Amino acid sequence: MSTTGHTATAGQRATGAVAPRTGSPDQPVLRVDWPDCRARGLCAELVPENIVLDEWGYPLVTGPVTRRALRHAREAVTSCPHQALRLIEPVRR
Amino acid sequence: MTTPPGELLVSPGPLLLAGIGEDQSYAAHHAREGALPQLSVEDLLALTSSAAVRGRGGAAFPFATKLSAAADGVRRPVVVVNAAEGEPASAKDSVLLRTVPHRVLDGAVLAARALGTREIHVVTSEDRPETEEAVTKAVHERRGEGIRWRHQHAEGRFVSGQARAVIELMSGRVGLPVTAWKPEAMDGYKGRPTLLSNAETFAHLGVLVRRGPGAYAAHGTAEEPGTTLLTIATVLPDGQLGGAAPHVIEVEHGTPFAAVLSSPQLDAPALLGGYHGTWVGPGSLRELTVSHCALRDRGLTIGAGVVLPLTDGSCPVARTAELAAYLADESAGRCGPCRLGLPTLADELAALASGADRRHRIAEVAGLVERRGACAHPDGTARLARSLIALEGVVEAHLDGACRCGRGQVRQLRRSA
Amino acid sequence: MTSPLLWYVNRGSGVVLLLVLTLTTVLGILSTSRRFSALWPRFVTQGLHRSVAGTAAVLLVAHATSAVVDTYVDIRWWQALVPFGATYKPLYLSLGTLALDLIGVIIVTSVMRDRIPTRTWRAVHVLSYLTFGVAVVHGVGIGTDAGQRWSVLLTLACVGLVALATLARLGIGLRAAAEGSRA
């Protein structure tokens, strides 16, 4: 696991589930607030299971968050220097 | 030689564009049509879902779903008529507001009353001053109606008409997109349910109620009742095609393009939907119909109703490179993947136009910008690029030098360096 | 009650607090940098900043509590929380209390960061520079070892480190602004 974050290709992205923009998902999912994101890259270091960096240093969310990665996903959310990452959890009906 | 800005051609139509030659002032409209019926939300939902009314802003979202979400909120809703028409090639909303504004405003008032609100905002764009004047006049004519009209003036940018950009403008901030965590119909302007729809959508609502569902569904198909407005467009970033004025027509759903376009238009490659739309190859329009569903099934889109045939013999590859450069310029610049990815995409398309086979890289960059922004601007640009690559034979012909445009002659790209 | 232990805890925690607050402030300033390496990933500086800040908070509680509990010097509990009404060295004690209050607000807003507007969080957090200065003056004014050579050197070194980090930060900020205007 590279702690510096690694860049991704579009192919990697195509295999991951891409979450819709709004609405409640079935599994917890990470969403980026794009106007706030400044490509600092901490998220890719903290939750590499779900985030890799593209060629411009911006996060690519590669799929829903599994139970094992949930703790790391939460840490990534609190660690973002610009509060640009959110964890959207399923609404239990 | 180009047509003076603001000049548009419009033909009469069966529903929205009926009687455009007649007096369309509010007094005449009211005298002809009578008082606007008062319908409940349930009535409107029933009407709009059985008539399958879809939004005409480009996303074709089911209007009944949006109305239902706005009605379900706790706080007092607000209605927004979006006539910003950020798509430069489109003229349908301007035509509506300049010829039959009260059909649009009727729809807005119907929705507002059903939602129990008096507040209606109408958004126009500073780069379409005739439309702005028409709205000012129309709203003034309706001042006795008990509606609190607010006329919003958007900047003439491509993304100024995006829903959240409009709400930002209404809120007194810069009119550019921001991230939406909930749909604006649920949580929009000041956290209130916001029914924001395209001007043409409200016109359909108005006509549907005034003429009745029977008369409305007498046009179109069972799956897609009614009509839609098309702009037979001529506007590209470097100016107008052959100096012709855009032509707005009303067409029943299901009508073949062959019935509304001329032979040269049908034989040319064409951009369908607008600058965020999809390309069709030469002659393809002969097999297609004006139908959101039929086009969607073929990977195409009706978008904002723009049909832009390249009747001047220009090449889709070169045109796409120009369009991508324009769209990159028009990015709000707020989101990294869009701000950085769109110029990259434009550069790759320019390289393609110059004869380098960059298709793989274009697809890669398109994949990197999609759904990674606060709005759909990168998605639309990616869609345009992907549709070019998907055009059978056209890109190959261009790369082989067999297309008529001549590779070295890519027009001056409007990019700020 | 009084005892030498309380006295040493208070003085000791005071000196260590100077070091820990210096480290916290410098780490916080360096967290704005975009530099990273395989050995020092991006999240480390920020993570350390938070941990060290937590340590400072604990030390601060010990420092203030020992001052109040020790009856050798008359410091009432409210004088540790409110920066006026002190009887023992009122100016310098109040500065200490002010620093404590500021640190409290800074920490609370940071814990609640996702629930408050970003500009509010930032406005409070920028007070760290002021807080550090206030804490240093408090130590120089009220510290019983303040006149000692080691204490003077230590204080100068800590202030110097923070000043250096601040200058580096200004450099980052100016560079970023220049890049922003060039784009």
Side-chain angles (χ1 to χ4, degrees), chain B residues 155-183:
Chain B
E155 235 192 299
R157 293 175 70 154
F158 190 83
V159 297
S160 301
Q162 195 268 338
R164 286 287 167 176
V166 165
I167 292 170
E168 287 292 288
L169 178 75
M170 285 162 59
S171 308
R173 296 186 287 272
V174 178
L176 291 173
V178 291
T179 306
W181 299 100
K182 292 213 188 86

PDB file of all heavy atoms in Angstrom, chain B residues 155-183:
ATOM      1  N   GLU B 155     -25.824  36.155 -15.803  1.00  0.00           N
ATOM      2  CA  GLU B 155     -24.744  36.490 -16.721  1.00  0.00           C
ATOM      3  C   GLU B 155     -24.878  35.608 -17.953  1.00  0.00           C
ATOM      4  O   GLU B 155     -25.427  34.521 -17.874  1.00  0.00           O
ATOM      5  CB  GLU B 155     -23.419  36.125 -16.036  1.00  0.00           C
ATOM      6  CG  GLU B 155     -22.420  37.229 -15.947  1.00  0.00           C
ATOM      7  CD  GLU B 155     -21.065  36.679 -15.516  1.00  0.00           C
ATOM      8  OE1 GLU B 155     -21.005  36.124 -14.400  1.00  0.00           O
ATOM      9  OE2 GLU B 155     -20.111  36.781 -16.294  1.00  0.00           O
ATOM     10  N   GLY B 156     -24.328  36.049 -19.069  1.00  0.00           N
ATOM     11  CA  GLY B 156     -24.499  35.241 -20.269  1.00  0.00           C
ATOM     12  C   GLY B 156     -23.526  34.092 -20.417  1.00  0.00           C
ATOM     13  O   GLY B 156     -23.105  33.776 -21.513  1.00  0.00           O
ATOM     14  N   ARG B 157     -23.188  33.437 -19.299  1.00  0.00           N
ATOM     15  CA  ARG B 157     -22.232  32.331 -19.406  1.00  0.00           C
ATOM     16  C   ARG B 157     -22.957  31.026 -19.695  1.00  0.00           C
ATOM     17  O   ARG B 157     -24.151  30.890 -19.419  1.00  0.00           O
ATOM     18  CB  ARG B 157     -21.459  32.201 -18.101  1.00  0.00           C
ATOM     19  CG  ARG B 157     -20.545  33.377 -17.830  1.00  0.00           C
ATOM     20  CD  ARG B 157     -19.900  33.260 -16.486  1.00  0.00           C
ATOM     21  NE  ARG B 157     -18.916  32.172 -16.451  1.00  0.00           N
ATOM     22  CZ  ARG B 157     -17.878  32.149 -15.615  1.00  0.00           C
ATOM     23  NH1 ARG B 157     -17.701  33.144 -14.780  1.00  0.00           N
ATOM     24  NH2 ARG B 157     -17.045  31.130 -15.619  1.00  0.00           N
ATOM     25  N   PHE B 158     -22.219  30.078 -20.209  1.00  0.00           N
ATOM     26  CA  PHE B 158     -22.810  28.789 -20.570  1.00  0.00           C
ATOM     27  C   PHE B 158     -23.418  28.109 -19.349  1.00  0.00           C
ATOM     28  O   PHE B 158     -24.497  27.541 -19.420  1.00  0.00           O
ATOM     29  CB  PHE B 158     -21.738  27.894 -21.198  1.00  0.00           C
ATOM     30  CG  PHE B 158     -22.277  26.642 -21.819  1.00  0.00           C
ATOM     31  CD1 PHE B 158     -22.792  26.646 -23.106  1.00  0.00           C
ATOM     32  CD2 PHE B 158     -22.275  25.438 -21.109  1.00  0.00           C
ATOM     33  CE1 PHE B 158     -23.288  25.488 -23.684  1.00  0.00           C
ATOM     34  CE2 PHE B 158     -22.774  24.284 -21.681  1.00  0.00           C
ATOM     35  CZ  PHE B 158     -23.283  24.298 -22.970  1.00  0.00           C
ATOM     36  N   VAL B 159     -22.720  28.183 -18.217  1.00  0.00           N
ATOM     37  CA  VAL B 159     -23.190  27.475 -17.027  1.00  0.00           C
ATOM     38  C   VAL B 159     -24.121  28.319 -16.155  1.00  0.00           C
ATOM     39  O   VAL B 159     -24.595  27.839 -15.127  1.00  0.00           O
ATOM     40  CB  VAL B 159     -22.014  26.961 -16.158  1.00  0.00           C
ATOM     41  CG1 VAL B 159     -21.183  25.944 -16.919  1.00  0.00           C
ATOM     42  CG2 VAL B 159     -21.156  28.104 -15.661  1.00  0.00           C
ATOM     43  N   SER B 160     -24.423  29.551 -16.586  1.00  0.00           N
ATOM     44  CA  SER B 160     -25.261  30.410 -15.748  1.00  0.00           C
ATOM     45  C   SER B 160     -26.674  29.867 -15.583  1.00  0.00           C
ATOM     46  O   SER B 160     -27.360  30.207 -14.634  1.00  0.00           O
ATOM     47  CB  SER B 160     -25.350  31.822 -16.343  1.00  0.00           C
ATOM     48  OG  SER B 160     -24.081  32.387 -16.461  1.00  0.00           O
ATOM     49  N   GLY B 161     -27.123  29.033 -16.542  1.00  0.00           N
ATOM     50  CA  GLY B 161     -28.484  28.509 -16.471  1.00  0.00           C
ATOM     51  C   GLY B 161     -28.600  27.204 -15.710  1.00  0.00           C
ATOM     52  O   GLY B 161     -29.680  26.643 -15.594  1.00  0.00           O
ATOM     53  N   GLN B 162     -27.496  26.743 -15.165  1.00  0.00           N
ATOM     54  CA  GLN B 162     -27.545  25.509 -14.396  1.00  0.00           C
ATOM     55  C   GLN B 162     -28.368  25.766 -13.129  1.00  0.00           C
ATOM     56  O   GLN B 162     -28.298  26.845 -12.535  1.00  0.00           O
ATOM     57  CB  GLN B 162     -26.109  25.072 -14.061  1.00  0.00           C
ATOM     58  CG  GLN B 162     -25.964  23.666 -13.577  1.00  0.00           C
ATOM     59  CD  GLN B 162     -26.021  23.536 -12.068  1.00  0.00           C
ATOM     60  OE1 GLN B 162     -25.781  24.498 -11.360  1.00  0.00           O
ATOM     61  NE2 GLN B 162     -26.356  22.352 -11.602  1.00  0.00           N
ATOM     62  N   ALA B 163     -29.135  24.766 -12.691  1.00  0.00           N
ATOM     63  CA  ALA B 163     -30.094  24.975 -11.601  1.00  0.00           C
ATOM     64  C   ALA B 163     -29.468  25.592 -10.353  1.00  0.00           C
ATOM     65  O   ALA B 163     -29.967  26.579  -9.810  1.00  0.00           O
ATOM     66  CB  ALA B 163     -30.786  23.659 -11.249  1.00  0.00           C
ATOM     67  N   ARG B 164     -28.383  25.027  -9.868  1.00  0.00           N
ATOM     68  CA  ARG B 164     -27.783  25.552  -8.642  1.00  0.00           C
ATOM     69  C   ARG B 164     -27.144  26.905  -8.864  1.00  0.00           C
ATOM     70  O   ARG B 164     -27.096  27.731  -7.960  1.00  0.00           O
ATOM     71  CB  ARG B 164     -26.732  24.563  -8.098  1.00  0.00           C
ATOM     72  CG  ARG B 164     -27.358  23.351  -7.460  1.00  0.00           C
ATOM     73  CD  ARG B 164     -27.984  23.667  -6.128  1.00  0.00           C
ATOM     74  NE  ARG B 164     -28.827  22.579  -5.677  1.00  0.00           N
ATOM     75  CZ  ARG B 164     -29.448  22.547  -4.500  1.00  0.00           C
ATOM     76  NH1 ARG B 164     -29.315  23.557  -3.664  1.00  0.00           N
ATOM     77  NH2 ARG B 164     -30.185  21.512  -4.177  1.00  0.00           N
ATOM     78  N   ALA B 165     -26.638  27.140 -10.087  1.00  0.00           N
ATOM     79  CA  ALA B 165     -26.078  28.454 -10.407  1.00  0.00           C
ATOM     80  C   ALA B 165     -27.177  29.505 -10.318  1.00  0.00           C
ATOM     81  O   ALA B 165     -26.967  30.609  -9.807  1.00  0.00           O
ATOM     82  CB  ALA B 165     -25.474  28.436 -11.809  1.00  0.00           C
ATOM     83  N   VAL B 166     -28.368  29.151 -10.806  1.00  0.00           N
ATOM     84  CA  VAL B 166     -29.510  30.061 -10.738  1.00  0.00           C
ATOM     85  C   VAL B 166     -29.886  30.336  -9.288  1.00  0.00           C
ATOM     86  O   VAL B 166     -30.127  31.483  -8.895  1.00  0.00           O
ATOM     87  CB  VAL B 166     -30.709  29.461 -11.509  1.00  0.00           C
ATOM     88  CG1 VAL B 166     -31.997  30.172 -11.153  1.00  0.00           C
ATOM     89  CG2 VAL B 166     -30.456  29.534 -13.005  1.00  0.00           C
ATOM     90  N   ILE B 167     -29.910  29.298  -8.472  1.00  0.00           N
ATOM     91  CA  ILE B 167     -30.264  29.482  -7.063  1.00  0.00           C
ATOM     92  C   ILE B 167     -29.217  30.336  -6.347  1.00  0.00           C
ATOM     93  O   ILE B 167     -29.555  31.163  -5.487  1.00  0.00           O
ATOM     94  CB  ILE B 167     -30.458  28.113  -6.378  1.00  0.00           C
ATOM     95  CG1 ILE B 167     -31.703  27.433  -6.954  1.00  0.00           C
ATOM     96  CG2 ILE B 167     -30.592  28.255  -4.872  1.00  0.00           C
ATOM     97  CD1 ILE B 167     -31.891  25.990  -6.541  1.00  0.00           C
ATOM     98  N   GLU B 168     -27.970  30.177  -6.706  1.00  0.00           N
ATOM     99  CA  GLU B 168     -26.919  31.038  -6.134  1.00  0.00           C
ATOM    100  C   GLU B 168     -27.177  32.496  -6.503  1.00  0.00           C
ATOM    101  O   GLU B 168     -27.059  33.390  -5.668  1.00  0.00           O
ATOM    102  CB  GLU B 168     -25.539  30.618  -6.679  1.00  0.00           C
ATOM    103  CG  GLU B 168     -25.013  29.315  -6.098  1.00  0.00           C
ATOM    104  CD  GLU B 168     -24.683  29.449  -4.625  1.00  0.00           C
ATOM    105  OE1 GLU B 168     -23.689  30.104  -4.280  1.00  0.00           O
ATOM    106  OE2 GLU B 168     -25.453  28.892  -3.816  1.00  0.00           O
ATOM    107  N   LEU B 169     -27.535  32.702  -7.767  1.00  0.00           N
ATOM    108  CA  LEU B 169     -27.842  34.062  -8.238  1.00  0.00           C
ATOM    109  C   LEU B 169     -29.005  34.645  -7.451  1.00  0.00           C
ATOM    110  O   LEU B 169     -28.958  35.779  -6.977  1.00  0.00           O
ATOM    111  CB  LEU B 169     -28.180  34.020  -9.731  1.00  0.00           C
ATOM    112  CG  LEU B 169     -28.575  35.345 -10.378  1.00  0.00           C
ATOM    113  CD1 LEU B 169     -27.347  36.208 -10.587  1.00  0.00           C
ATOM    114  CD2 LEU B 169     -29.268  35.104 -11.720  1.00  0.00           C
ATOM    115  N   MET B 170     -30.053  33.842  -7.283  1.00  0.00           N
ATOM    116  CA  MET B 170     -31.224  34.293  -6.540  1.00  0.00           C
ATOM    117  C   MET B 170     -30.858  34.635  -5.103  1.00  0.00           C
ATOM    118  O   MET B 170     -31.466  35.519  -4.488  1.00  0.00           O
ATOM    119  CB  MET B 170     -32.296  33.190  -6.526  1.00  0.00           C
ATOM    120  CG  MET B 170     -33.024  33.028  -7.842  1.00  0.00           C
ATOM    121  SD  MET B 170     -33.892  31.429  -7.995  1.00  0.00           S
ATOM    122  CE  MET B 170     -35.006  31.459  -6.616  1.00  0.00           C
ATOM    123  N   SER B 171     -29.871  33.933  -4.565  1.00  0.00           N
ATOM    124  CA  SER B 171     -29.470  34.141  -3.170  1.00  0.00           C
ATOM    125  C   SER B 171     -28.496  35.294  -3.002  1.00  0.00           C
ATOM    126  O   SER B 171     -27.992  35.513  -1.907  1.00  0.00           O
ATOM    127  CB  SER B 171     -28.827  32.858  -2.616  1.00  0.00           C
ATOM    128  OG  SER B 171     -29.650  31.746  -2.836  1.00  0.00           O
ATOM    129  N   GLY B 172     -28.215  35.996  -4.088  1.00  0.00           N
ATOM    130  CA  GLY B 172     -27.336  37.156  -3.990  1.00  0.00           C
ATOM    131  C   GLY B 172     -25.860  36.831  -4.092  1.00  0.00           C
ATOM    132  O   GLY B 172     -25.011  37.681  -3.848  1.00  0.00           O
ATOM    133  N   ARG B 173     -25.552  35.596  -4.457  1.00  0.00           N
ATOM    134  CA  ARG B 173     -24.149  35.218  -4.612  1.00  0.00           C
ATOM    135  C   ARG B 173     -23.819  35.124  -6.104  1.00  0.00           C
ATOM    136  O   ARG B 173     -24.660  35.379  -6.966  1.00  0.00           O
ATOM    137  CB  ARG B 173     -23.886  33.883  -3.908  1.00  0.00           C
ATOM    138  CG  ARG B 173     -24.080  33.955  -2.402  1.00  0.00           C
ATOM    139  CD  ARG B 173     -23.670  32.644  -1.730  1.00  0.00           C
ATOM    140  NE  ARG B 173     -24.626  31.582  -1.963  1.00  0.00           N
ATOM    141  CZ  ARG B 173     -25.681  31.355  -1.194  1.00  0.00           C
ATOM    142  NH1 ARG B 173     -25.918  32.123  -0.149  1.00  0.00           N
ATOM    143  NH2 ARG B 173     -26.494  30.351  -1.455  1.00  0.00           N
ATOM    144  N   VAL B 174     -22.571  34.765  -6.407  1.00  0.00           N
ATOM    145  CA  VAL B 174     -22.153  34.645  -7.803  1.00  0.00           C
ATOM    146  C   VAL B 174     -22.932  33.506  -8.459  1.00  0.00           C
ATOM    147  O   VAL B 174     -23.038  32.416  -7.919  1.00  0.00           O
ATOM    148  CB  VAL B 174     -20.634  34.347  -7.887  1.00  0.00           C
ATOM    149  CG1 VAL B 174     -20.205  34.172  -9.332  1.00  0.00           C
ATOM    150  CG2 VAL B 174     -19.858  35.468  -7.229  1.00  0.00           C
ATOM    151  N   GLY B 175     -23.468  33.753  -9.655  1.00  0.00           N
ATOM    152  CA  GLY B 175     -24.320  32.775 -10.332  1.00  0.00           C
ATOM    153  C   GLY B 175     -23.539  31.653 -10.990  1.00  0.00           C
ATOM    154  O   GLY B 175     -23.543  31.517 -12.219  1.00  0.00           O
ATOM    155  N   LEU B 176     -22.874  30.837 -10.182  1.00  0.00           N
ATOM    156  CA  LEU B 176     -22.113  29.700 -10.697  1.00  0.00           C
ATOM    157  C   LEU B 176     -22.485  28.467  -9.892  1.00  0.00           C
ATOM    158  O   LEU B 176     -22.944  28.573  -8.755  1.00  0.00           O
ATOM    159  CB  LEU B 176     -20.614  29.970 -10.593  1.00  0.00           C
ATOM    160  CG  LEU B 176     -20.062  31.040 -11.526  1.00  0.00           C
ATOM    161  CD1 LEU B 176     -18.606  31.318 -11.208  1.00  0.00           C
ATOM    162  CD2 LEU B 176     -20.222  30.617 -12.982  1.00  0.00           C
ATOM    163  N   PRO B 177     -22.288  27.278 -10.472  1.00  0.00           N
ATOM    164  CA  PRO B 177     -22.754  26.060  -9.788  1.00  0.00           C
ATOM    165  C   PRO B 177     -22.043  25.798  -8.476  1.00  0.00           C
ATOM    166  O   PRO B 177     -20.876  26.127  -8.292  1.00  0.00           O
ATOM    167  CB  PRO B 177     -22.431  24.955 -10.799  1.00  0.00           C
ATOM    168  CG  PRO B 177     -22.316  25.636 -12.119  1.00  0.00           C
ATOM    169  CD  PRO B 177     -21.785  26.989 -11.828  1.00  0.00           C
ATOM    170  N   VAL B 178     -22.788  25.193  -7.550  1.00  0.00           N
ATOM    171  CA  VAL B 178     -22.235  24.694  -6.293  1.00  0.00           C
ATOM    172  C   VAL B 178     -22.722  23.260  -6.129  1.00  0.00           C
ATOM    173  O   VAL B 178     -23.632  22.823  -6.821  1.00  0.00           O
ATOM    174  CB  VAL B 178     -22.679  25.528  -5.067  1.00  0.00           C
ATOM    175  CG1 VAL B 178     -22.048  26.900  -5.108  1.00  0.00           C
ATOM    176  CG2 VAL B 178     -24.194  25.625  -4.996  1.00  0.00           C
ATOM    177  N   THR B 179     -22.124  22.545  -5.202  1.00  0.00           N
ATOM    178  CA  THR B 179     -22.513  21.153  -4.976  1.00  0.00           C
ATOM    179  C   THR B 179     -23.906  21.085  -4.375  1.00  0.00           C
ATOM    180  O   THR B 179     -24.252  21.856  -3.492  1.00  0.00           O
ATOM    181  CB  THR B 179     -21.520  20.488  -4.014  1.00  0.00           C
ATOM    182  OG1 THR B 179     -20.210  20.667  -4.533  1.00  0.00           O
ATOM    183  CG2 THR B 179     -21.808  18.999  -3.880  1.00  0.00           C
ATOM    184  N   ALA B 180     -24.699  20.153  -4.887  1.00  0.00           N
ATOM    185  CA  ALA B 180     -26.033  19.921  -4.341  1.00  0.00           C
ATOM    186  C   ALA B 180     -26.046  18.574  -3.646  1.00  0.00           C
ATOM    187  O   ALA B 180     -25.764  17.553  -4.262  1.00  0.00           O
ATOM    188  CB  ALA B 180     -27.051  19.921  -5.477  1.00  0.00           C
ATOM    189  N   TRP B 181     -26.357  18.564  -2.354  1.00  0.00           N
ATOM    190  CA  TRP B 181     -26.418  17.295  -1.643  1.00  0.00           C
ATOM    191  C   TRP B 181     -27.824  16.711  -1.690  1.00  0.00           C
ATOM    192  O   TRP B 181     -28.022  15.542  -1.443  1.00  0.00           O
ATOM    193  CB  TRP B 181     -25.938  17.475  -0.203  1.00  0.00           C
ATOM    194  CG  TRP B 181     -24.519  17.947  -0.153  1.00  0.00           C
ATOM    195  CD1 TRP B 181     -24.089  19.211   0.054  1.00  0.00           C
ATOM    196  CD2 TRP B 181     -23.329  17.168  -0.397  1.00  0.00           C
ATOM    197  NE1 TRP B 181     -22.720  19.266  -0.033  1.00  0.00           N
ATOM    198  CE2 TRP B 181     -22.230  18.047  -0.304  1.00  0.00           C
ATOM    199  CE3 TRP B 181     -23.093  15.823  -0.683  1.00  0.00           C
ATOM    200  CZ2 TRP B 181     -20.910  17.624  -0.477  1.00  0.00           C
ATOM    201  CZ3 TRP B 181     -21.773  15.396  -0.843  1.00  0.00           C
ATOM    202  CH2 TRP B 181     -20.706  16.290  -0.749  1.00  0.00           C
ATOM    203  N   LYS B 182     -28.787  17.582  -1.988  1.00  0.00           N
ATOM    204  CA  LYS B 182     -30.149  17.113  -2.204  1.00  0.00           C
ATOM    205  C   LYS B 182     -30.657  17.798  -3.469  1.00  0.00           C
ATOM    206  O   LYS B 182     -30.197  18.876  -3.817  1.00  0.00           O
ATOM    207  CB  LYS B 182     -31.048  17.530  -1.030  1.00  0.00           C
ATOM    208  CG  LYS B 182     -30.738  16.855   0.283  1.00  0.00           C
ATOM    209  CD  LYS B 182     -32.053  16.684   1.067  1.00  0.00           C
ATOM    210  CE  LYS B 182     -31.806  16.193   2.471  1.00  0.00           C
ATOM    211  NZ  LYS B 182     -31.539  17.311   3.382  1.00  0.00           N
ATOM    212  N   PRO B 183     -31.644  17.192  -4.147  1.00  0.00           N
ATOM    213  CA  PRO B 183     -32.221  17.877  -5.312  1.00  0.00           C
ATOM    214  C   PRO B 183     -32.868  19.184  -4.876  1.00  0.00           C
ATOM    215  O   PRO B 183     -33.414  19.275  -3.776  1.00  0.00           O
ATOM    216  CB  PRO B 183     -33.289  16.889  -5.817  1.00  0.00           C
ATOM    217  CG  PRO B 183     -33.021  15.607  -5.129  1.00  0.00           C
ATOM    218  CD  PRO B 183     -32.287  15.908  -3.871  1.00  0.00           C
TER     219      PRO B 183
END
